[in-house]
Amino acid sequence: MNQIHDPQSFQYDMRRMAGARAPRDAAVNFRGLSKTYKMDRVDVPALKGVSGSIAKAETTFITGPSGSGKSTLLNLIGLLDRPTDGVLEILGEDVTQLTDRQAADFRAQHIGFVFQSFNLIPVLSVRENVEFPLLNRKMSGAARKAKALDYLEAVGLSDYVDRRPGEISGGQRQRVAIARALVSEPTLLIADEPTANLDTRTSREIVALMDRIKAELNTSVVICTHDTDLITAGSAIINIIDGQTAKEH
Ligand code: ADP
Ligand code: MG
């Protein structure tokens, strides 16, 4: 491929010119990444060779219309699914080579995932939901509880820790989901349309919260959204159209 037209090297050149991070500082690098879903009768090529990177300790927005492949890309980066082809490195590790077990361990250690529909456990309290990812760690119950309460305080929910998910608002539920994603102290926080079920004001608050987390915890944040109004100043953007990288900033 001609270097000039390689979107990734172009992006790196732009970053160097701007005096920003070198490529080795990327939390995630992907090149020629593709995913084809095998259906009964047809193959659905959801990603057709996308390339790009997610800078460490910055916020990157993945944008694009519905059906363009955003969730597919996030699921690959979040190790929830496997690519059909291409290179995917997370924190310098070629994750396509990991066994399922190794991928699960890598995910538990390094990745926090926030879903559009919150995915909280309705019968557990807010605090118990946030403690959940820590259950298989060698920690005392008291230490788990203290950590969950710390992160609930960080997302502004100290007064709601004993409620059930059904007893709080949508924006508060998404804050619980963010606290749950953060409690294992991941390097990478991935959110797939985290504001799709929220009103405009709450959506902005949730994005501002994740941006603050990036600054305070040095977490690399990836947010996928079809709503370009949510993009915060200074963030990187990867635009996906019809399974391809359309434009990077
Ligand atoms: P977006 O998140 O941008 O809306 P997706 O990544 O969900 O897009 O979908 C990209 C394409 O892949 C769409 O055509 C969608 O129908 C298809 N697709 C997504 N998930 C699956 C799946 N599990 N099986 C088959 N096709 C899928
Ligand atoms: Mg999606």
Side-chain angles (χ1 to χ4, degrees):
M1 188 190 283
N2 184 327
Q3 284 292 303
I4 305 276
H5 297 296
D6 179 337
Q8 194 178 24
S9 55
F10 176 69
Q11 179 193 20
Y12 288 156
D13 285 342
M14 293 296 284
R15 288 209 171 130
R16 269 195 212 105
M17 287 194 307
R21 293 164 196 282
R24 64 179 171 279
D25 281 343
V28 182
N29 262 308
F30 49 96
R31 298 187 65 77
L33 201 60
S34 67
K35 175 71 186 180
T36 299
Y37 293 107
K38 303 268 180 214
M39 307 284 282
D40 274 353
R41 286 158 198 239
V42 286
D43 287 353
V44 181
L47 284 181
K48 306 168 189 171
V50 295
S51 299
S53 64
I54 309 290
K56 273 187 186 161
E58 289 184 16
T59 302
T60 301
F61 284 88
I62 295 179
T63 60
S66 177
S68 57
K70 302 183 298 298
S71 294
T72 301
L73 178 58
L74 284 198
N75 290 344
L76 296 181
I77 296 173
L79 300 186
L80 297 171
D81 203 357
R82 301 265 185 183
T84 309
D85 202 3
V87 176
L88 176 60
E89 289 170 353
I90 305 180
L91 306 172
E93 179 134 17
D94 177 357
V95 294
T96 61
Q97 300 300 316
L98 300 178
T99 64
D100 286 352
R101 178 62 205 263
Q102 288 169 331
D105 287 347
F106 190 95
R107 190 170 64 233
Q109 202 183 341
H110 296 296
I111 296 172
F113 211 101
V114 174
F115 300 90
Q116 174 178 334
S117 49
F118 322 132
N119 288 9
L120 301 175
I121 302 170
V123 296
L124 298 183
S125 72
V126 162
R127 175 177 59 77
E128 289 164 339
N129 266 280
V130 177
E131 274 186 49
F132 200 77
L134 301 176
L135 288 182
N136 56 6
R137 299 233 171 154
K138 288 197 183 84
M139 284 175 87
S140 69
R144 261 201 303 269
K145 181 174 173 182
K147 207 175 249 297
L149 292 176
D150 274 354
Y151 282 94
L152 281 163
E153 185 181 2
V155 299
L157 286 182
S158 291
D159 292 343
Y160 298 86
V161 299
D162 294 324
R163 302 257 188 118
R164 301 264 171 106
E167 299 166 344
I168 56 177
S169 71
Q172 288 169 333
R173 278 179 220 166
Q174 198 56 300
R175 284 172 189 272
V176 177
I178 291 169
R180 181 184 55 183
L182 288 175
V183 78
S184 49
E185 289 160 357
T187 324
L188 194 57
L189 177 66
I190 300 175
D192 188 357
E193 304 267 4
T195 64
N197 291 329
L198 305 176
D199 61 69
T200 308
R201 188 171 144 227
T202 312
S203 295
R204 286 186 200 287
E205 285 171 7
I206 290 292
V207 170
L209 173 64
M210 285 192 276
D211 228 29
R212 206 189 79 213
I213 286 162
K214 168 213 71 178
E216 289 179 7
L217 302 180
N218 269 338
T219 312
S220 311
V221 175
V222 188
I223 303 173
C224 131
T225 180
H226 62 274
D227 182 0
T228 49
D229 287 347
L230 286 175
I231 295 170
T232 44
S235 303
I237 302 168
I238 296 173
N239 193 13
I240 308 274
I241 295 190
D242 193 21
Q244 289 174 309
T245 334
K247 190 170 58 171
E248 296 183 32
H249 299 271

